[in-house]
Amino acid sequence: MKKILLTAIALLTLASASVFGMYGVDGDDWISFLTDGNQFRARMDQLGFVLGNDTIKGTFGVRADTGYMGSIINNGGTYNDESVSLNPTISAGIGYTSSAFSIGVGYNFTYIDRFLQVHTPVLMLNALDNSLQFVAPIQVAITDTDKYRASGAPAWIPETKMKFTGVGFNNMELRYATGIDAFNEIRVYASYFNASTETSVNKTIQEALGLELRLYFLKTTVGNVGINPFIKVQYSTALKGYNTAEFMVSDYRFGGGILDTQKQSDIFDVSPYEVVIAPTLALEASSDIVSLYFEPSLGYSMSSYKPRRFTEVTTHSLYWGAYAEMYVTPVQDLEWYFEMDVNGDVTGAADSKANQNLSPVYFETTTGITWYLPSFGAAE
């Protein structure tokens, strides 16, 4: 017990010294925290430590949730009369781990502007020797001011009333590893948001729900290559308003909502929705120094909506992707990580061209190092 208390004190001391961490506002950012070992990680979108022993661990720090970090503190210019702004999300977390049951709590703070900040508490639970994992983030953003001026607006634009309340979560996630190669893992994701924006002109509301199921099966090895196919099925819909996409609640202060005096059925006969079905083949191979992971995928997506008294609008697309990870470990405790994601779609309408209004290839990547650190030792 004494070592547990000393470890907790050490973690709090590190936090007060602004040691950087690396977890973001989405559930899948935090899903690995309870199983991550001690490490220092420095990548294009995150910088941080995980520190602790076999029982208690913690993290504290920054992560970019909307792209590469670029800067941590930036000149705010004339935007809302701010001299500086904080760009990344700050994260902190602490957890208890054991083979039978693990629990952790995390917190994220995201600075939008001086009127609005996003607070995201996170709950993590693992059980059955980490075969069962669950993570639940909840985003909350509230502001109420009579002195709001939109981003980029000149100084002569008068300040106005803006009241915003947003609650939601991205990728609340449940994973279960069955231990059976024929059907080895199931993952369930859920996303939701509810937001209202009130200005001096009107009040709008919006609400959306997203669900995703991944089924992993027929895990096997062919030669020196590990194979684990899975199928991904996604469904998202606007319950109020127009938006169905992944989100941060603060993104929905303006646009995409309906008046609070309206019903969704006043606007749509069929609310906006999207369905994606994507079979994926996961491949992995490794040597003493290099490990590779690939995910080629090919699937189908459809989005549709029908405004009242208008024709239904439906778009069919061929979804494809090629995701890869590479780990280079010249020594056991030092690793270079490289991630690549190439994807696109082919529009199915008869009068359209492949990738119309899209880049032919959408390419994104991140890279960096991980230095694995020794444990503080077993707790008594």
Side-chain angles (χ1 to χ4, degrees):
M1 184 65 186
K2 180 179 179 181
K3 286 189 175 182
I4 294 175
L5 292 175
L6 289 174
T7 301
I9 292 171
L11 292 170
L12 292 173
T13 302
L14 288 169
S16 65
S18 295
V19 174
F20 292 125
M22 51 199 157
Y23 298 98
V25 297
D26 295 350
D28 48 1
D29 293 333
W30 285 93
I31 192 72
S32 66
F33 170 62
L34 292 175
T35 56
D36 281 342
N38 284 3
Q39 59 187 266
F40 165 73
R41 185 184 296 175
R43 296 180 184 170
M44 294 174 69
D45 60 346
Q46 56 190 271
L47 181 66
F49 286 99
V50 174
L51 294 173
N53 56 31
D54 295 337
T55 303
I56 300 292
K57 62 165 58 179
T59 185
F60 183 90
V62 296
R63 176 172 178 148
D65 289 298
T66 56
Y68 301 133
M69 206 174 293
S71 62
I72 296 174
I73 296 179
N74 191 31
N75 185 349
T78 59
Y79 177 36
N80 285 328
D81 302 320
E82 295 178 359
S83 58
V84 295
S85 61
L86 178 67
N87 290 349
T89 286
I90 297 176
S91 65
I94 192 166
Y96 164 83
T97 61
S98 70
S99 60
F101 177 79
S102 301
I103 185 171
V105 291
Y107 170 75
N108 296 81
F109 173 79
T110 306
Y111 182 87
I112 307 302
D113 57 41
R114 66 189 177 99
F115 299 115
L116 185 64
Q117 298 86 44
V118 183
H119 305 271
T120 310
V122 186
L123 173 67
M124 296 151 278
L125 299 171
N126 286 12
L128 305 177
D129 201 17
N130 297 316
S131 295
L132 183 65
Q133 298 176 288
F134 175 74
V135 60
I138 302 295
Q139 296 181 18
V140 179
I142 299 173
T143 190
D144 189 357
T145 180
D146 293 324
K147 299 182 180 298
Y148 186 81
R149 182 180 290 120
S151 176
W156 55 265
I157 296 292
E159 295 175 330
T160 185
K161 173 182 178 181
M162 196 274 283
K163 183 176 182 180
F164 174 82
T165 303
V167 178
F169 50 84
N170 260 347
N171 289 334
M172 182 180 291
E173 182 176 355
L174 175 68
R175 294 185 183 182
Y176 177 61
T178 67
I180 303 171
D181 290 342
F183 180 52
N184 55 290
E185 187 174 1
I186 180 172
R187 299 183 185 180
V188 179
Y189 303 82
S191 298
Y192 171 83
F193 77 84
N194 185 308
S196 67
T197 302
E198 183 177 354
T199 68
S200 56
V201 178
N202 58 37
K203 179 179 180 180
T204 60
I205 57 175
Q206 51 189 312
E207 185 178 12
L209 174 68
L211 301 171
E212 179 179 329
L213 175 66
R214 296 189 186 186
L215 301 174
Y216 293 73
F217 54 90
L218 300 179
K219 184 177 183 180
T220 187
T221 301
V222 177
N224 295 319
V225 178
I227 301 176
N228 194 182
F230 66 91
I231 186 168
K232 176 173 67 176
V233 181
Q234 292 176 290
Y235 172 78
S236 57
T237 184
L239 302 177
K240 294 180 181 178
Y242 300 80
N243 290 313
T244 62
E246 191 175 82
F247 67 97
M248 178 179 288
V249 293
S250 61
D251 294 339
Y252 294 91
R253 282 180 288 180
F254 307 103
I258 62 175
L259 296 175
D260 64 336
T261 56
Q262 296 175 310
K263 298 179 181 178
Q264 188 75 346
S265 58
D266 295 334
I267 310 297
F268 297 101
D269 288 332
V270 178
S271 288
Y273 71 93
E274 182 177 10
V275 176
V276 175
I277 301 174
T280 304
L281 182 62
L283 305 169
E284 58 182 347
S286 62
S287 66
D288 292 338
I289 297 178
V290 179
S291 297
L292 298 173
Y293 176 81
F294 300 101
E295 269 189 13
S297 59
L298 179 66
Y300 164 78
S301 66
M302 180 188 73
S303 59
S304 184
Y305 66 96
K306 185 180 184 302
R308 293 202 63 187
R309 297 181 293 277
F310 287 91
T311 304
E312 185 170 3
V313 178
T314 302
T315 301
H316 303 272
S317 299
L318 181 65
Y319 169 92
W320 62 270
Y323 175 79
E325 295 177 0
M326 180 171 67
Y327 303 82
V328 180
T329 52
V331 295
Q332 182 178 4
D333 295 330
L334 188 62
E335 172 185 276
W336 176 62
Y337 172 85
F338 181 80
E339 177 185 22
M340 181 178 68
D341 187 10
V342 183
N343 58 77
D345 63 45
V346 178
T347 304
D351 60 347
S352 64
K353 299 177 181 179
N355 297 308
Q356 188 172 22
N357 301 321
L358 293 174
S359 300
V361 174
Y362 177 65
F363 180 85
E364 58 184 354
T365 185
T366 186
T367 188
I369 64 168
T370 304
W371 178 21
Y372 294 98
L373 303 171
S375 172
F376 286 175
E380 295 179 354

